Amino acid sequence: MQRLMRWWGHWLSRTRHALASTLATSKKTDACKAINEEVMPRHLNNLEKLLESSPTGWVAGTELPSIADFVWGCALAHYIPDKDRIFNEELRKLDAYPSCQALAAKFMALPEVKAYYSKSGLA
């Protein structure tokens, strides 16, 4: 699990730097607007519907978390809320997405995840 979380953080970091270095300022503004008003709401609404239909609250409806839960759990708990340069306040709070909030809380409450974050100093 630690290896997966390190990989995910490394991937996000590389993606963020690659995007930031290739866009002009006006294009960054346009991209952030599209991300906040179209892209992320569409993805979060789709995830919300998927989670609402899940019998277990996990993305795949499995008894235990799947890789999709690790991806979305990290993104919802840390990546989206911490990116104030990209996401507007409404998206960062996830108030319009209660099932997404519940997934983030459920994921972060896993004993292994709690131990990882407390040991790594990221909590």
Side-chain angles (χ1 to χ4, degrees):
M1 177 151 79
Q2 290 179 357
R3 187 171 160 205
L4 171 68
M5 295 180 109
R6 279 196 307 269
W7 174 85
W8 175 244
H10 177 70
W11 181 85
L12 288 175
S13 176
R14 282 191 5 218
T15 303
R16 177 179 51 104
H17 291 303
L19 178 65
S21 65
T22 59
L23 293 177
T25 303
S26 65
K27 296 291 184 186
K28 287 180 190 176
T29 303
D30 292 344
C32 284
K33 182 177 181 189
I35 287 168
N36 280 286
E37 295 176 5
E38 300 168 29
V39 177
M40 286 305 293
R42 182 178 65 243
H43 289 300
L44 292 172
N45 280 322
N46 288 337
L47 180 60
E48 188 75 11
K49 290 176 190 171
L50 185 67
L51 291 169
E52 288 171 355
S53 68
S54 171
T56 61
W58 295 119
V59 174
T62 54
E63 184 179 327
L64 298 173
S66 68
I67 188 67
D69 298 300
F70 279 81
V71 171
W72 277 111
C74 292
L76 294 168
H78 291 288
Y79 183 72
I80 294 172
D82 293 344
K83 298 299 176 186
D84 60 340
R85 294 184 331 235
I86 299 172
F87 304 119
N88 63 32
E89 185 175 353
E90 182 181 337
L91 278 178
R92 288 193 322 269
K93 288 184 175 182
L94 298 172
D95 287 341
Y97 310 99
S99 295
C100 291
Q101 286 179 326
L103 173 64
K106 185 175 181 173
F107 176 78
M108 294 305 294
L110 291 170
E112 297 86 357
V113 173
K114 287 171 77 171
Y116 170 80
Y117 276 97
S118 66
K119 184 177 180 181
S120 67
L122 297 172

